[in-house]
Amino acid sequence: MHPTLADDLSRLPELLQAARDFAAHEAVGVTERPVAAPGKAPTRTTLPEEGAGAEAALAQFAERWAPGFSGSAGPRYLGFVTGGATPASVAGDWLTSAFDQNLSGAGGSWAQELERETLAWLRGLFGLGEAHSGAFVTGATASNTVGLAIGREWLGERLGVDVSREGAAALGPVEVLSGSPHSSVAKAMSVLGLGRDRLRRVPLLPGNREAVDVAALEAELARLEGRPAIVVANAGTVNTVDFDDLRAIAALKEGYDFWLHVDAAFGAFAALSPEYAALVDGLDAADSVCVDLHKWLNVPYDAAVQFTRRRDLQVRVFHNASPYLGQPVGEPDFVHLTPENSRRLRALPAWFSLVAYGRAGHREIVERNVALARRLGAGIDALPGLRLLAPVRLNVVCFTLAEDPTQERVDALARAVAASGEAYVTPTVYGGVPGLRAAFSNWRTTEADTERVLQALAAASG
Ligand SMILES: *Cc1c(COP(=O)(O)O)cnc(C)c1O
């Protein structure tokens, strides 16, 4: 063993303790650190020939890089849809690394059963029944990709084509219909050989909505004259958190042949609150469902789940049979269900958080975030320099400058807010108008934080 490595091994407890102390300091201090770090990153150094040991690596990281890391895990980073990491989930994440299990399959470990237990809990949390099986993936983009891959295989089943063997081209042109799809759906279609251009936008409901017009969707399906299609329904759009009518879309299955994939990346969390659960009514009817966990469950990156009613088709797409991996028999190992072969125990942070805070704890996060989004929305509405672009439907506030909201001026506003260090919001274009979004999904955000965000917006727009 290299002497530096041997030295680190002999001092393993102290080294982990030092990393723990540093992490604890940073995690506590994130509420007061500048939310964004717009400055220039340090210049790169060269790969050292002789290593310095873990202690020196920690010191170098703390000095050179950590000061430029954002406060994205903190309470006033409202860009994209960015969750933080609950205390229990961080502990679970550390232990994932410490135990370093390979979740491709059982491999002489109980860890795969822990992932299955966690998936069953999550299924219940989102109101899905036993017909849905799940798997952990890295994020909603991967989850959408897996869901659409299973849908692609289903198209093959309907058309008498074995897509996993013959390739997507054997399907001929594929129709993917959606109202307000997330950009990751087009990316998934590119990856899957379906083609980004095959994503057909279905008209939306009138009146400043992002939800699909179900009558228009039906008309599009009728036009296919019996040819099977994929419908991507959206439960929680990123600009205004609008929800497609999942029940009504699922009811169309009686007359039309389609695979129903629901992108509920963060919208699925509406199911946790009796007040908002109706928004995802019908989710259980989906053939495949995408839910992110590193957003509103507040576990560390990278974690999401993918649920489907057709695990048989999923195995057809993803099976990785070889004499050394074994055949997919009985309940398939995860190696046969997702794009990865080797996988980390991504379920453990979620398991920790669910055990630690339960349904009630996670419901409180969702309800508090929604209440704070409404509060910020009302505050923005009252500011002379800003106006809302849409009503605050759930946890995102979509707004712009009251006057002359050009891309340039809106970008400048976003930069000024980031430079204040007080808050971070990210740009969008809604209804053709450049604007900004403030998305609430962090477990730590308080009323006082929301007030500080409002003050920062007032100062930057005033
Ligand atoms: C965030 C998001 C995605 C992509 O999620 P990643 O975890 O970043 O891959 C997909 N769909 C919706 C609706 C989202 O909000």
Side-chain angles (χ1 to χ4, degrees), residues 385-386 400-416 434-436 460-462:
L386 299 175
T400 193
L401 287 160
E403 268 160 47
D404 199 18
T406 59
Q407 192 69 60
E408 206 178 6
R409 280 171 41 83
V410 170
D411 287 348
L413 174 61
R415 280 196 303 274
L436 297 171
S461 65

Side-chain angles (χ1 to χ4, degrees), residues 81 139-142 144 182 184 236 238 263 265-266 292 294-295:
V81 182
T141 301
N144 279 331
H182 187 267
S184 59
V238 289
D263 180 354
F266 65 98
D292 235 332
H294 51 221
K295 289 177 178 167

